[in-house]
Amino acid sequence: IKNKLCYSEFRIILLYIKLILFSIIRKMILGEYDMDDTFIEEMKSKLLEQRSEILKSLEIQSEDMRGLIKTVESGDEADVASDAIDRTLLNAMGEQDANRLQQINNALDRIKQGRYGLCLQCGSEIRKERLEAIPYAFMCIGCASEAERKNR
């Protein structure tokens, strides 16, 4: 029975994937896919600009971290405690920047693959307004809201 359930679940998932792909292909063929080349190029420029800003920020944070290490070596206890807090903040900022950088690189890959602007969860088109606000968005509002609810 367990194998039959797995097989039937597999068939349902496969059917769902086929429906999503069919929907995407249909939209592209009928011209319903609204991501024109000009818009995608604008978003690509935004993504490249944001990537450049993050890389500069990470470079500055790296220099700040080197400075903190030098001051810790010669500081008193109050300086060491303050520097520990600064280091924690820099690490947190660095992690956020690294995560955003990964999302930007993924969005640039989707542009190369011709899948930019399509929700990775359900396959529907992500609204232009959302992409203008968050160019590296990979889910539509509905799927992003659902994922956020599940993560709470």
Side-chain angles (χ1 to χ4, degrees), residues 3-19:
N3 288 339
K4 288 182 181 180
L5 286 176
C6 290
Y7 179 71
S8 64
E9 289 173 351
F10 174 75
R11 289 185 63 196
I12 291 169
I13 291 170
L14 191 59
L15 179 62
Y16 181 69
I17 291 170
K18 285 180 181 179
L19 287 171

Side-chain angles (χ1 to χ4, degrees), residues 107-134:
L108 291 168
D109 286 343
R110 288 192 301 278
I111 288 173
K112 287 179 192 172
Q113 297 165 356
R115 295 181 309 143
Y116 182 76
L118 297 175
C119 177
L120 296 181
Q121 189 72 32
C122 69
S124 66
E125 190 173 317
I126 301 171
R127 295 179 60 117
K128 284 185 175 182
E129 296 83 10
R130 176 165 169 74
L131 291 171
E132 287 170 345
I134 308 169

Side-chain angles (χ1 to χ4, degrees), residues 8 17 29 42 50 61 90 94 99 102-105 108 114-115 133 142:
S8 64
I17 291 170
I29 290 172
E42 287 173 19
Q50 287 182 2
Q61 289 174 27
L90 282 174
N99 289 337
Q102 183 62 50
Q103 290 179 348
I104 288 170
N105 286 333
L108 291 168
R115 295 181 309 143

